[in-house]
Amino acid sequence: MFAKKIALSFIACAVLVGVVSVVAAQSSEQALLERAQQLFKALPADAATAEHPLTPERVALGKILFFETRASIDGTVSCAKCHLPSLHGAEGLPTSFGNMGKAIPRNAPTVFNTALQFVQHYGGNRKDVEEQAEKALISPLAYGNADYAAAEAKLRAIPGYRSLFEKTFPGEAEPITAKNWAKSIGAYERTLLTPAPFDRYLAGDQNALSGQAKTGLDKFINTGCVGCHSGVVVGGTMYQKFGITQDYWTATGSKNIDKGRFNDTKNEADTYMFKVEQLRNVAVTAPYFHDGSVNDLKDAIRIMAKVQLGRDLGADDIGDIQAFLESLTGDVPKEFALVPSLPPAPFKAQP
Amino acid sequence: MFAKKIALSFIACAVLVGVVSVVAAQSSEQALLERAQQLFKALPADAATAEHPLTPERVALGKILFFETRASIDGTVSCAKCHLPSLHGAEGLPTSFGNMGKAIPRNAPTVFNTALQFVQHYGGNRKDVEEQAEKALISPLAYGNADYAAAEAKLRAIPGYRSLFEKTFPGEAEPITAKNWAKSIGAYERTLLTPAPFDRYLAGDQNALSGQAKTGLDKFINTGCVGCHSGVVVGGTMYQKFGITQDYWTATGSKNIDKGRFNDTKNEADTYMFKVEQLRNVAVTAPYFHDGSVNDLKDAIRIMAKVQLGRDLGADDIGDIQAFLESLTGDVPKEFALVPSLPPAPFKAQP
């Protein structure tokens, strides 16, 4: 009888401990979610702003222009050349190639969600996707045109564009301009957002993330990654020096030492400063870093913890953080995968 | 009264003449259709053969591989590099660029319907689309691999391909091979057919072609164009010397004189011999000829009549034949415009 009572007490205790730990786990799960909701933000429907409104015409024309090769100096460069629908809006290459096969010193990041970053390019020398699209036309390595007039002449030589630009920018005497090219492509890119499991999690769905992904999220926060990688695209909100506790190239094996923002500003304080990249879709857009010097996501996580935070992460930590990062992978937008037919016309170097 | 009778007779005569000429026109329209049905053929549903059967798995994998850049030596070359979904399966460039931006001496024709041509390439040195896809892997200008093993190693380094190739080629110990790459891409290309108004016409629909297009068809036949450009893809059934009544480059302004099949066979009789190109989609796939030396379809028609048939066509004839050629423009296959997501992995020069 006595033994039975003890046994029952044990069972009661065990049940109580069980209940308490379930409650504790639930409350810690809830606490993690609330913390995440403070640090991150679910994707909006699009990245329109007051300055950059979306119209259906701009988005549709921008989608066509995104694939337009004939505005480049040799007829080979388009936005889609380096931002491939087949490779999640990125390219898979360490660094890109521009017109005439010229080597571009930096990696092409995914175009998805990039409109939500505070500036564009690794060095931040483009304030938004519109400026990026416009200046690309006269970048010697990208579209390679001598000036905007040369690019505009190429577009105007394609008969089908007249009515498309007129419809999109009504009332303008000459709507086929680099500015309107930029407005259209920018509008289109502002629609290329990729909601992911992490967004469902932020909306309160605890089942959207695996247990390991949540552990990884917790470690991502507590290791300090979140110090820079926060907000709606988990990054893209600030500049940061790449290589705080040690020179980055000693860890990445980079062959060329890129001084980051210094290249543009010539300000010593900007040496090795880069835009903190967004991490949405990072798991499917290797290779990593501004020069694509690292192929494996696990290595990229290890290197970042080491050179930015001075932390040596173990294999478990890295695996958990990787699981979290995989929850940032969204589907390729259906509209992006569906390539439009461009107005037919041969490329003309001198229209 | 008499005057009235005469007037009535005149009216009766006029009506009779009208009826006769309508009947005559109808019978000549019918005769033209029957002649066309003898000379041409509507597109089949696909270009499968006993030797090259289509399976849903091969077509699906082939579609993915069509966009695969990472099997090339520098990670930039895919079938889609020169056969763009945005430009009707062609490129808009006079001549193409291969790996490392290398200049390719010939124009990229549309991939649509090409599987139905009797051989591939302008010089006919590829017997079918499968051989074209396979040998492209080791072409120094195209994918640039040293050998098939190098290309296969690149494909095998992309984890997602293992299960896709296994599913497509069950029971093979190592299914990721250049041969299976070729079989898959070939199967996919055998689905890329583009039915056009001319096919509806051949099926008996007189309304599928405008009056001018029918006049142009009649002229296309009677001028002698049809001597070479006949069959299901309006060409693609034989070799022919380019430049019979005069050297072709005197008319095209070609900068380099390409000796055609002679380049491959070293047989003097093959000098300036080229495959007669198909004409399907010709109106939307400028520029023209093996070197893309001519931008305008009207010029191409004029030049062909002159250098092949010794005929000086007038502007009306050219306009009419152009109207007929425009009836060969089909829609971009929906499946082709929808770019697949490739298995993610970074490009590795040495996997």
Side-chain angles (χ1 to χ4, degrees):
Chain A
M1 188 68 173
F2 182 68
K4 222 178 193 175
K5 267 192 188 160
I6 289 177
L8 278 174
S9 297
F10 265 117
I11 289 168
C13 276
V15 167
L16 191 64
V17 167
V19 169
V20 166
S21 55
V22 165
V23 169
Q26 276 176 348
S27 104
S28 91
E29 284 222 319
Q30 183 58 26
L32 179 64
L33 173 59
E34 284 169 16
R35 186 103 178 82
Q37 286 167 334
Q38 289 163 354
L39 293 165
F40 307 102
K41 224 177 107 184
L43 280 179
D46 60 56
T49 66
E51 193 191 349
H52 299 293
L54 305 188
T55 67
E57 290 79 13
R58 285 189 191 189
V59 172
L61 177 57
K63 173 171 166 162
I64 288 172
L65 297 177
F66 189 89
F67 290 91
E68 182 53 76
T69 49
R70 294 162 295 177
S72 67
I73 193 163
D74 64 348
T76 70
V77 179
S78 68
C79 307
K81 181 184 195 294
C82 300
H83 301 287
L84 299 167
S86 53
L87 287 171
H88 230 84
E91 192 179 24
L93 287 173
T95 53
S96 296
F97 298 93
N99 68 77
M100 319 279 189
K102 287 174 199 155
I104 292 176
R106 288 180 180 161
N107 169 271
T110 179
V111 68
F112 299 157
N113 314 298
T114 193
L116 291 166
Q117 299 194 92
F118 82 123
V119 289
Q120 301 300 317
H121 280 187
Y122 288 99
N125 62 342
R126 298 290 181 268
K127 68 179 173 161
D128 51 31
V129 286
E130 284 77 12
E131 191 186 41
Q132 196 282 328
E134 186 177 348
K135 291 199 172 162
L137 286 173
I138 55 164
S139 154
L141 294 180
Y143 289 67
N145 290 291
D147 50 34
Y148 288 122
E152 289 164 345
K154 289 194 183 73
L155 289 170
R156 290 171 195 165
I158 298 169
Y161 277 134
R162 179 64 45 194
S163 64
L164 283 171
F165 274 85
E166 278 174 357
K167 197 176 69 175
T168 307
F169 300 97
E172 298 189 14
E174 176 45 271
I176 305 182
T177 62
K179 284 269 177 242
N180 286 343
W181 153 282
K183 281 180 186 169
S184 303
I185 292 175
Y188 175 56
E189 292 185 349
R190 287 174 187 276
T191 70
L192 297 178
L193 309 189
T194 61
F198 188 56
D199 295 287
R200 297 205 306 279
Y201 173 77
L202 290 176
D205 178 3
Q206 285 281 3
N207 296 320
L209 259 57
S210 70
Q212 190 185 11
K214 286 184 221 176
T215 304
L217 167 60
D218 191 55
K219 288 180 176 175
F220 185 86
I221 295 170
N222 291 319
T223 303
C225 313
V226 81
C228 294
H229 290 282
S230 63
V232 65
V233 292
V234 195
T237 65
M238 65 174 76
Y239 297 111
Q240 183 52 275
K241 186 179 172 190
F242 187 17
I244 291 178
T245 66
Q246 70 182 73
D247 294 331
Y248 73 79
W249 56 89
T250 60
T252 60
S254 296
K255 284 180 206 115
N256 299 306
I257 296 172
D258 183 329
K259 290 193 166 179
R261 262 170 79 62
F262 173 83
N263 297 341
D264 295 306
T265 66
K266 306 298 172 197
N267 179 345
E268 285 296 337
D270 288 335
T271 311
Y272 312 131
M273 294 291 279
F274 291 86
K275 179 188 66 186
V276 175
E277 272 302 299
Q278 67 160 327
L279 293 181
R280 285 189 179 267
N281 298 301
V282 70
V284 289
T285 52
Y288 300 108
F289 304 129
H290 62 276
D291 57 359
S293 49
V294 172
N295 276 326
D296 194 88
L297 183 53
K298 285 188 159 68
D299 290 333
I301 296 166
R302 181 180 51 73
I303 289 167
M304 284 307 278
K306 183 69 182 174
V307 309
Q308 299 303 108
L309 301 159
R311 300 282 295 265
D312 289 298
L313 294 185
D316 282 359
D317 298 332
I318 291 172
D320 293 342
I321 291 174
Q322 178 173 7
F324 160 60
L325 294 179
E326 284 167 354
S327 81
L328 299 173
T329 302
D331 289 329
V332 175
K334 248 196 165 152
E335 260 305 303
F336 185 64
L338 190 65
V339 177
S341 277
L342 272 50
F347 166 71
K348 293 177 187 173
Q350 304 286 345
Chain B
M1 187 69 174
F2 182 69
K4 220 176 193 177
K5 266 191 186 160
I6 288 176
L8 278 174
S9 296
F10 266 117
I11 290 169
C13 274
V15 167
L16 191 65
V17 168
V19 168
V20 167
S21 57
V22 166
V23 168
Q26 276 177 350
S27 104
S28 89
E29 285 221 316
Q30 184 57 28
L32 179 65
L33 173 59
E34 284 169 17
R35 186 103 177 83
Q37 286 167 334
Q38 288 162 355
L39 293 165
F40 308 102
K41 223 176 109 186
L43 280 178
D46 60 55
T49 65
E51 193 191 350
H52 299 292
L54 305 188
T55 68
E57 291 79 12
R58 285 189 191 189
V59 172
L61 176 56
K63 174 170 166 161
I64 289 171
L65 297 177
F66 189 89
F67 291 91
E68 182 53 77
T69 48
R70 294 162 295 177
S72 67
I73 194 163
D74 64 349
T76 70
V77 178
S78 69
C79 308
K81 180 183 196 296
C82 300
H83 302 286
L84 299 167
S86 54
L87 287 171
H88 230 82
E91 193 180 23
L93 287 173
T95 53
S96 297
F97 298 94
N99 68 77
M100 319 278 189
K102 286 175 200 155
I104 292 175
R106 288 182 180 159
N107 170 270
T110 179
V111 69
F112 298 157
N113 314 298
T114 194
L116 291 167
Q117 299 195 91
F118 83 123
V119 290
Q120 300 300 317
H121 280 187
Y122 289 98
N125 63 342
R126 300 289 182 267
K127 68 177 172 163
D128 52 30
V129 287
E130 284 76 13
E131 191 187 40
Q132 197 282 328
E134 186 176 348
K135 290 200 172 160
L137 286 172
I138 55 165
S139 154
L141 294 180
Y143 289 68
N145 290 292
D147 50 33
Y148 288 122
E152 289 163 346
K154 289 193 184 74
L155 289 170
R156 290 172 194 164
I158 298 168
Y161 276 134
R162 180 64 46 196
S163 63
L164 283 171
F165 274 85
E166 278 174 356
K167 197 175 69 175
T168 307
F169 299 98
E172 299 189 15
E174 175 47 270
I176 304 181
T177 62
K179 284 269 176 241
N180 287 343
W181 154 281
K183 281 179 187 169
S184 304
I185 291 175
Y188 175 56
E189 292 185 349
R190 287 173 188 277
T191 70
L192 296 178
L193 309 189
T194 62
F198 188 56
D199 295 287
R200 295 205 308 278
Y201 173 75
L202 290 176
D205 179 2
Q206 286 280 4
N207 296 321
L209 258 58
S210 70
Q212 190 185 11
K214 285 185 221 175
T215 304
L217 167 60
D218 191 53
K219 289 180 177 176
F220 185 85
I221 294 172
N222 291 319
T223 303
C225 312
V226 79
C228 295
H229 290 282
S230 64
V232 66
V233 293
V234 196
T237 66
M238 65 173 77
Y239 298 111
Q240 183 52 275
K241 185 178 171 191
F242 187 17
I244 291 179
T245 66
Q246 69 181 74
D247 293 332
Y248 73 80
W249 55 91
T250 59
T252 60
S254 297
K255 284 181 207 116
N256 299 306
I257 296 172
D258 184 329
K259 291 194 167 179
R261 263 171 78 63
F262 173 84
N263 297 341
D264 295 307
T265 65
K266 305 299 173 198
N267 178 346
E268 284 296 337
D270 288 334
T271 311
Y272 312 131
M273 293 291 279
F274 291 85
K275 180 188 65 185
V276 175
E277 272 302 300
Q278 67 160 328
L279 293 181
R280 284 188 178 268
N281 297 301
V282 69
V284 289
T285 52
Y288 301 108
F289 303 129
H290 62 275
D291 57 359
S293 48
V294 171
N295 276 326
D296 193 88
L297 183 54
K298 284 188 160 66
D299 290 333
I301 295 166
R302 181 179 51 73
I303 290 167
M304 284 307 277
K306 183 69 181 171
V307 309
Q308 300 303 108
L309 301 159
R311 300 282 295 263
D312 288 298
L313 294 183
D316 282 0
D317 298 331
I318 291 172
D320 294 342
I321 291 174
Q322 177 173 7
F324 161 60
L325 295 179
E326 284 169 354
S327 81
L328 299 172
T329 302
D331 289 330
V332 175
K334 247 194 165 154
E335 259 305 305
F336 185 63
L338 191 64
V339 177
S341 278
L342 272 50
F347 166 72
K348 292 178 187 173
Q350 305 286 344

